[in-house]
Amino acid sequence: MAEEPRKSLNFIEEIIEKDNRTGKWGGMVYTRFPPEPNGYLHIGHAKSICLNFGLAAQYGGKCNLRFDDTNPVKEEEEYVNSIIEDVKWLGFTWDALCFGSDYFDQMYEWALELIKNGHAYVDDQTAEQIREGRGTLTRPGTNSPFRDRLAEENLNLFERMKNGEFPDGSKVLRAKIDMASPNLNLRDPVMYRILHASHHRSGNKWCVYPMYDWAHGNEDSIEGITHSICTLEFENHRSLYDWFLDKLGVHHPQQIEFARLELTYTVMSKRRLLELVKEGGVRGWDDPRMPTLSGMRRRGYTPEAIRAFCKEIGAAKFNSTIDIAKLENSIRTDLNKRAERRMAVLNPLRVVITNYPENEDELLEAINNPEDESAGTRKVPFSRELFIEREDFMEDPPKKFFRLAPGREVRLRYAYFITCEEVIKDDTGKVIELRCTYDPATRGGDSPDGRKVKGTLHWVSAKHAVNAEVRQYDHLFMKENPSDVEEGQDYKSNLNPESLVIIENAKLEPGLKAAQRGERFQFERMGYFCVDLDSSDTRLVFNRTVTLRDTWAKIHKKGG
Ligand code: ATP
Ligand code: MG
């Protein structure tokens, strides 16, 4: 029997399969996705979600959604709710929904244990003194004068820190490791600081809060995680992660680092995204130009397209920036199979068919999706007055322009051949109407005498058309790398002023009147569009999800 062709494994799968062979975790795979609830999730998080939940599913394991909510200052309920919604929307179900803050008691107990065993001490130095004492890459640190406090005294002070006897910043608990370590993270890192702040879940119960490196390994251990997957910046935190868990002698997961996702024409840190939201660079976290999952959802992205994208880019150990065109292609590929076609004229030019009977109309059959026969057909009304796309007409066309021009014949999709007989202009010379004739024998779009036309245009019957606002989006930033700036400027100077272009009165085929929020369509020849959340019974609003082809590359890369 022929062997199954085996797809090559990524480096994390290799680690897991080796662990399974050696029985390291008894064949168990337990991962977690651990966001800090201090912002909305973005496409980079989707990569981590797909990896963590994907690996668990692939190996019959489990995956938790865990809020790493140990910093009371920047975290909010709103973010928790949005993260839950986004993970569900992406199509994943967690085994347990956890909050790091639920483990504060356990973490405190474990801190006491480290103190008792001489592995942690209370330091009275100021933040500035601690920073100074830490040294640099070329200069070893110096021991704190409080480093040799006895366990007894440390226990007493730490308890009083917890009880609220000291003001913010007056004391910290530090791990006692090695002030001369070449790895700065091991130079007696801070484990707890005093913060008289209210926490979104534990309220005012605590006024000491654990630092990330201390808390994170504790959380992984408590939940029985086997493979703790994080991004590359944490590579040189791994020895600290290991040190804490070794000293505690508790369940000790393996930390594995992978490259974070970066995309061209995009910023992806929550800090920057929050800044854009606050300073009005965008309309909100779910602005369709944002790389947030809520923004992408609103723009018309499907979870399937995002998952396919994450699968395609895979997981690696070196950082690289992915071309945003790859992401756009993933939604094109998905919607091409699924989105029904409709006709919509975004920038209308009136056409009068002079030989078509007045006060008459007819219904023509149009195909809903040539990629999916089961999508069937629909009827589209045709009448004497129509709209076509303004850019589909040129009075004085260059050689390669195959659309409508004076004296030229083209096909109206699903309808008839028409010929442009006369061009009507206003006082300023702007073309405002075309007078055309049609050939009744070409009904359905083919000529019985085998006559050929080169152009096929979409159109909408003027009296049947419904109006809509159409929001056309482009890259949020003008530069591939938004951080590439002139001196004294920041990434915001690269914001693209044309990232949103609003068309007030597009003309749509009448069936679209019933379109529901979130519904997606291909507007023939124009791109993929979806109904925006702002849409109402009285005013239709569409977002352009993506154009049919990658036009940006053509326009912007040439000569640049
Ligand atoms: P940001 O820098 O955007 O604030 P973060 O790493 O601070 O991101 P967390 O909420 O801590 O955000 O992230 C939760 C998980 O998502 C972490 O495991 C983190 O490694 C992962 N993650 C965050 N950003 C990316 C990214 N761009 N690519 C891949 N994974 C990411
Ligand atoms: Mg973080």
Side-chain angles (χ1 to χ4, degrees), residues 32-38 40-49 52 68 83 212 216 229-234 258-262 268-271 273:
R32 84 288 172 266
F33 171 65
E36 186 183 351
N38 61 351
Y40 281 61
L41 296 182
H42 52 61
I43 180 75
H45 292 116
K47 177 177 177 179
S48 175
I49 294 170
N52 280 295
D68 211 333
I83 289 169
Y212 177 86
H216 198 83
I229 300 168
C230 61
T231 44
L232 278 182
E233 328 71 281
F234 291 98
F258 72 100
R260 59 192 295 126
L261 171 67
E262 299 291 347
M268 201 114 70
S269 85
K270 278 183 283 190
R271 187 178 55 76
L273 297 176

Side-chain angles (χ1 to χ4, degrees), residues 343-551:
M343 292 198 285
V345 174
L346 302 187
N347 192 3
L349 175 59
R350 186 175 290 270
V351 167
V352 179
I353 315 281
T354 52
N355 59 339
Y356 194 87
E358 288 194 47
N359 306 322
E360 249 183 54
D361 40 76
E362 64 186 304
L363 288 170
L364 297 168
E365 184 158 85
I367 293 167
N368 283 334
N369 186 353
E371 302 290 321
D372 174 11
E373 210 174 316
S374 71
T377 60
R378 68 186 185 285
K379 301 282 192 202
V380 185
F382 185 88
S383 64
R384 191 168 191 270
E385 295 199 13
L386 313 166
F387 293 115
I388 64 165
E389 211 68 63
R390 190 165 273 280
E391 65 179 30
D392 281 338
F393 171 79
M394 279 185 95
E395 196 169 12
D396 190 13
K399 240 192 176 143
K400 289 209 166 152
F401 186 85
F402 297 123
R403 294 169 267 171
L404 201 56
R408 187 172 302 166
E409 186 171 48
V410 296
R411 172 189 296 110
L412 294 181
R413 190 136 166 87
Y414 308 121
Y416 296 97
F417 287 9
I418 60 166
T419 303
C420 177
E421 311 286 356
E422 193 186 342
V423 180
I424 314 286
K425 297 179 186 175
D426 67 10
D427 297 343
T428 68
K430 185 181 173 195
V431 176
I432 50 168
E433 186 179 302
L434 304 176
R435 300 267 162 93
C436 299
T437 52
Y438 85 121
D439 176 358
T442 57
R443 190 174 196 269
D446 279 307
S447 160
D449 63 10
R451 200 161 82 242
K452 294 269 187 273
V453 288
K454 280 198 169 148
T456 299
L457 313 185
H458 63 278
W459 52 274
V460 172
S461 164
K463 73 174 170 203
H464 299 97
V466 291
N467 288 332
E469 175 180 328
V470 175
R471 300 175 182 168
Q472 302 196 97
Y473 301 104
D474 200 343
H475 298 151
L476 189 49
F477 291 91
M478 294 180 292
K479 284 203 181 147
E480 259 186 38
N481 173 8
S483 301
D484 172 11
V485 290
E486 305 281 314
E487 219 178 292
Q489 301 272 23
D490 78 352
Y491 71 100
K492 292 193 287 304
S493 66
N494 282 326
L495 276 167
N496 177 3
E498 282 160 33
S499 60
L500 168 59
V501 173
I502 297 179
I503 292 173
E504 297 286 346
N505 270 314
K507 303 287 182 184
L508 317 184
E509 65 169 81
L512 284 169
K513 196 172 169 45
Q516 299 297 310
R517 286 185 199 136
E519 252 191 292
R520 305 176 182 92
F521 300 94
Q522 183 195 99
F523 290 172
E524 294 208 29
R525 303 174 64 229
M526 305 311 286
Y528 294 98
F529 293 77
C530 81
V531 184
D532 188 70
L533 297 176
D534 288 343
S535 207
S536 69
D537 290 347
T538 49
R539 177 139 189 86
L540 273 172
V541 181
F542 279 85
N543 294 317
R544 184 173 72 194
T545 309
V546 69
T547 54
L548 289 183
R549 274 170 294 277
D550 181 12
T551 47

Side-chain angles (χ1 to χ4, degrees), residues 95-164:
D95 287 279
L97 180 66
C98 307
F99 291 85
S101 57
D102 286 350
Y103 312 140
F104 281 164
D105 284 295
Q106 176 69 78
M107 291 180 196
Y108 182 76
E109 291 303 316
W110 279 348
L112 294 180
E113 225 175 286
L114 290 195
I115 296 173
K116 282 180 204 156
N117 294 327
H119 298 309
Y121 61 98
V122 172
D123 194 341
D124 297 357
Q125 292 184 106
T126 63
E128 182 53 42
Q129 288 167 328
I130 291 176
R131 202 174 311 119
E132 181 59 27
R134 182 161 285 142
T136 64
L137 282 174
T138 51
R139 178 167 57 82
T142 47
N143 286 354
S144 161
F146 303 96
R147 196 172 196 262
D148 293 321
R149 273 180 166 151
L150 297 177
E152 199 91 346
E153 186 185 2
N154 284 319
L155 283 173
N156 175 273
L157 287 172
F158 187 49
E159 191 179 356
R160 290 168 58 198
M161 279 168 67
K162 184 197 79 164
N163 292 341

Side-chain angles (χ1 to χ4, degrees), residues 178-452:
D178 177 7
M179 290 308 290
S181 171
N183 182 343
L184 268 68
N185 293 309
L186 294 179
R187 295 184 187 173
D188 291 10
V190 173
M191 294 167 61
Y192 277 93
R193 66 215 153 125
I194 302 174
L195 260 183
H196 291 268
S198 180
H199 185 276
H200 78 117
R201 279 173 69 86
S202 60
N204 294 321
K205 176 174 175 193
W206 294 90
C207 59
V208 289
Y209 287 95
M211 303 300 288
Y212 177 86
D213 283 317
W214 165 245
H216 198 83
N218 283 197
E219 293 162 10
D220 282 346
S221 179
I222 291 167
E223 290 173 21
I225 300 305
T226 56
H227 301 84
S228 174
I229 300 168
C230 61
T231 44
L232 278 182
E233 328 71 281
F234 291 98
E235 197 163 18
N236 61 6
H237 293 238
R238 195 197 321 131
S239 41
L240 179 54
Y241 181 98
D242 290 339
W243 188 90
F244 281 134
L245 295 177
D246 281 342
K247 290 291 175 270
L248 290 172
V250 295
H251 171 74
H252 187 156
Q254 179 181 2
Q255 177 178 307
I256 302 168
E257 309 87 15
F258 72 100
R260 59 192 295 126
L261 171 67
E262 299 291 347
L263 281 179
T264 56
Y265 301 104
T266 312
V267 295
M268 201 114 70
S269 85
K270 278 183 283 190
R271 187 178 55 76
R272 284 179 167 184
L273 297 176
L274 177 64
E275 194 170 81
L276 290 174
V277 169
K278 282 200 169 148
E279 294 180 14
V282 295
R283 294 175 166 192
W285 282 103
D286 70 344
D287 185 303
R289 292 166 292 179
M290 290 278 270
T292 52
L293 295 182
S294 50
M296 294 173 70
R297 171 166 67 235
R298 183 163 181 180
R299 178 146 168 179
Y301 270 81
T302 60
E304 290 84 355
I306 295 176
R307 293 200 305 261
F309 169 75
C310 291
K311 192 166 182 180
E312 189 189 343
I313 58 174
K317 261 211 128 13
F318 46 87
N319 282 313
S320 66
T321 302
I322 306 286
D323 190 341
I324 198 168
K326 212 178 213 127
L327 177 63
E328 293 169 347
N329 254 327
S330 72
I331 186 63
R332 264 186 211 112
T333 305
D334 189 30
L335 292 181
N336 182 41
K337 287 178 291 185
R338 305 207 267 169
E340 291 200 359
R341 276 55 169 170
R342 294 291 184 268
M343 292 198 285
V345 174
L346 302 187
N347 192 3
L349 175 59
R350 186 175 290 270
V351 167
V352 179
I353 315 281
T354 52
N355 59 339
Y356 194 87
E358 288 194 47
N359 306 322
E360 249 183 54
D361 40 76
E362 64 186 304
L363 288 170
L364 297 168
E365 184 158 85
I367 293 167
N368 283 334
N369 186 353
E371 302 290 321
D372 174 11
E373 210 174 316
S374 71
T377 60
R378 68 186 185 285
K379 301 282 192 202
V380 185
F382 185 88
S383 64
R384 191 168 191 270
E385 295 199 13
L386 313 166
F387 293 115
I388 64 165
E389 211 68 63
R390 190 165 273 280
E391 65 179 30
D392 281 338
F393 171 79
M394 279 185 95
E395 196 169 12
D396 190 13
K399 240 192 176 143
K400 289 209 166 152
F401 186 85
F402 297 123
R403 294 169 267 171
L404 201 56
R408 187 172 302 166
E409 186 171 48
V410 296
R411 172 189 296 110
L412 294 181
R413 190 136 166 87
Y414 308 121
Y416 296 97
F417 287 9
I418 60 166
T419 303
C420 177
E421 311 286 356
E422 193 186 342
V423 180
I424 314 286
K425 297 179 186 175
D426 67 10
D427 297 343
T428 68
K430 185 181 173 195
V431 176
I432 50 168
E433 186 179 302
L434 304 176
R435 300 267 162 93
C436 299
T437 52
Y438 85 121
D439 176 358
T442 57
R443 190 174 196 269
D446 279 307
S447 160
D449 63 10
R451 200 161 82 242
K452 294 269 187 273

